Amino acid sequence: MSLETIIPALTDPDEECCALVLMGGGARTAYQAGVLHALASMLGLASNASDPPFPFKILVGTSAGALNATYLASRVGEGLNAFAHLANFWSTLRSSQVYQLKVPAWIRSSRIAAALFLSQQVRAQQAFLNNTPLVDTLHKAISLGSIEQALQDNTLNALAVTASSYTSGVHWTFCQLAGGRQVESWSRPGRRAEFQPITIEHLMASSALPFIFPSTPLWVDGRREFFGDGSMRQSSPLSPAIHLGASKVMVIGVGQPERAGFASTPEASAVSAGSRPTLGAIAGHAMASVFQDTLQADVEQAQRVSKTMRQMPHDIAAIMPYRPVDVLAISPSQSLDALAQAHAGELPAATYNALAGLGALGDKGSPGGAALASYLLFEPGFVKALMALGEHDAYARKEELLAFFGLGSGR
């Protein structure tokens, strides 16, 4: 990653612009709604305004995080109430509104039968699950016209959604800008930007979990390409926000950098000693790598470079074509795999049977095996637990969050 990619100079150096970057993770992204709901309460209490405005001018989302970002973009005119609406959206969501799967009950008793049956499903529809219900859910929940209005009113500067092209292998960022706003396009090895209105098709493409949901066609460079989850090949998740003019970036991930640690507990060791990982455990590990690894590295590098720039003599820093960027990253403090294992019984019967057949619901004391289920558990118990954890983690960093927005004791 180049220095120019991390901190290019601002078009308007006098404008302080805060961006929200929401990473992907399927059902896990309900955690983001909890963090933001708590943030809204903090900002409302700390602000001197009777009706505090929406705190972000740029919204960037990947995968299911793109759904959250776009939902918020459609409600920025409601100020902090937008976050309450997002929390309510997640509270009423069900798996049946996201995907469909039909499998016989006996499939859970045989991993070989489960693998064969699901391979037939994949050949028939190019994916494990049918996500057609999500199209209707998004059309009902998100007003694309409201997004355009917010951009025209300059309540919002930009909305960006990322997706990965199976056709070309390029990672694309699709950007919709405020009227009259000029942002230079960017093209880096393996990743590019495209300026076009965000549609439901962009959201379906960005959230198409590999192997689980089918690809979605989009038009780029005058041709149709097929896209999958934006977390794939996402080497620099903070880059779009910074290219779009952010001077401060709040990023909410839902990965667990220490997830391998709970395989070393005495209980897990007793269960897994001498046994190979199940197909579900391997799939969960692969998904965790897709949704977490690059964020950690990108945040650390941006913070390190920005710190270095702030330590430069003022006269030298003033002539450099770069700027420091404040980055605040929040991610779960507890195991989401363990939460998923505790709530696995809420899954639709067909999904539960299929995952059980693949060994993807974990064993007692070994929550890592339930990682795959955690991406598909769009059910009230799991969502409520995720949102509660998000609120808890946000309040644990209350002073840091308020200082980030120039409020509280840190101002």
Side-chain angles (χ1 to χ4, degrees):
M1 187 187 310
S2 67
L3 181 65
E4 184 180 2
T5 298
I6 303 173
I7 47 175
L10 277 172
T11 303
D12 182 359
D14 295 325
E15 180 184 21
E16 183 175 275
C17 187
C18 191
L20 175 64
V21 176
L22 299 176
M23 302 298 291
R28 291 172 174 241
T29 53
Y31 172 84
Q32 296 168 348
V35 171
L36 293 170
H37 190 256
L39 175 64
S41 296
M42 296 178 205
L43 296 181
L45 291 173
S47 175
N48 294 323
S50 58
D51 187 18
F54 191 78
F56 302 103
K57 297 290 286 185
I58 298 170
L59 294 170
V60 179
T62 297
S63 189
L67 311 188
N68 285 341
T70 306
Y71 183 95
L72 289 172
S74 71
R75 292 181 174 269
V76 296
E78 301 177 46
L80 296 181
N81 288 329
F83 300 119
H85 286 298
L86 179 64
N88 183 65
F89 169 76
W90 274 99
S91 297
T92 58
L93 194 63
R94 302 293 183 273
S95 297
S96 60
Q97 296 170 276
V98 180
Y99 60 82
Q100 293 175 337
L101 176 65
K102 296 180 179 180
V103 298
W106 53 262
I107 206 171
R108 63 186 291 185
S109 63
S110 170
R111 293 184 182 180
I112 295 177
L116 288 174
F117 185 89
L118 294 174
S119 68
Q120 293 174 350
Q121 291 280 101
V122 171
R123 284 198 298 270
Q125 59 188 24
Q126 289 76 53
F128 173 38
L129 298 174
N130 175 5
N131 63 347
T132 302
L134 182 59
V135 177
D136 187 53
T137 298
L138 294 177
H139 272 294
K140 291 178 179 178
I142 297 173
S143 169
L144 299 178
S146 295
I147 297 174
E148 179 60 27
Q149 186 62 52
L151 291 166
Q152 293 301 324
D153 293 344
N154 288 314
T155 310
L156 186 68
N157 286 358
L159 168 65
V161 168
T162 65
S164 184
S165 174
Y166 289 122
T167 305
S168 64
V170 174
H171 185 273
W172 287 85
T173 299
F174 299 96
C175 308
Q176 185 173 354
L177 303 179
R181 194 169 189 83
Q182 298 295 320
V183 174
E184 184 178 350
S185 183
W186 63 93
S187 179
R188 299 287 186 272
R191 53 193 176 91
R192 293 180 59 184
E194 174 88 359
F195 296 94
Q196 55 181 254
I198 302 301
T199 66
I200 299 302
E201 286 72 25
H202 288 92
L203 303 185
M204 295 300 294
S206 182
S207 60
L209 295 166
F211 303 109
I212 295 178
F213 293 147
S215 61
T216 298
L218 296 173
W219 285 86
V220 290
D221 280 350
R223 66 177 184 274
R224 190 173 74 156
E225 297 188 9
F226 286 86
F227 285 81
D229 200 286
S231 296
M232 297 185 292
R233 297 198 171 193
Q234 188 176 35
S235 59
S236 185
L238 302 184
S239 176
I242 296 171
H243 274 290
L244 290 169
S247 56
K248 305 174 80 171
V249 180
M250 178 178 172
V251 54
I252 309 176
V254 295
Q256 297 165 201
E258 303 300 328
R259 66 180 303 274
F262 30 94
S264 61
T265 62
E267 295 83 357
S269 299
V271 171
S272 60
S275 63
R276 291 181 180 273
T278 65
L279 179 60
I282 294 172
H285 180 73
M287 295 286 275
S289 299
V290 167
F291 287 113
Q292 178 62 27
D293 291 354
T294 57
L295 175 61
Q296 291 292 110
D298 207 31
V299 168
E300 290 174 5
Q301 185 163 359
Q303 291 174 335
R304 184 168 57 251
V305 173
S306 293
K307 181 179 179 180
T308 299
M309 291 197 65
R310 289 192 175 95
Q311 294 173 341
M312 290 181 177
H314 178 73
D315 54 342
I316 295 178
I319 63 174
M320 294 186 67
Y322 310 114
R323 74 187 191 283
V325 176
D326 291 328
V327 179
L328 188 154
I330 295 181
S331 58
S333 60
Q334 299 176 21
S335 165
L336 302 193
D337 294 355
L339 278 182
Q341 188 179 53
H343 293 277
E346 298 178 36
L347 282 164
T351 309
Y352 184 94
N353 291 334
L355 293 180
L358 293 173
L361 294 180
D363 299 310
K364 184 177 180 181
S366 182
L372 182 58
S374 71
Y375 297 94
L376 303 176
L377 247 172
F378 297 90
E379 297 296 333
F382 186 54
V383 167
K384 182 179 179 180
L386 285 170
M387 291 175 61
L389 177 59
E391 292 200 29
H392 171 273
D393 289 350
Y395 278 112
R397 299 176 64 179
K398 179 178 178 180
E399 292 303 314
E400 187 180 358
L401 281 165
L402 290 177
F404 182 78
F405 290 97
L407 299 169
S409 59
R411 62 182 169 184

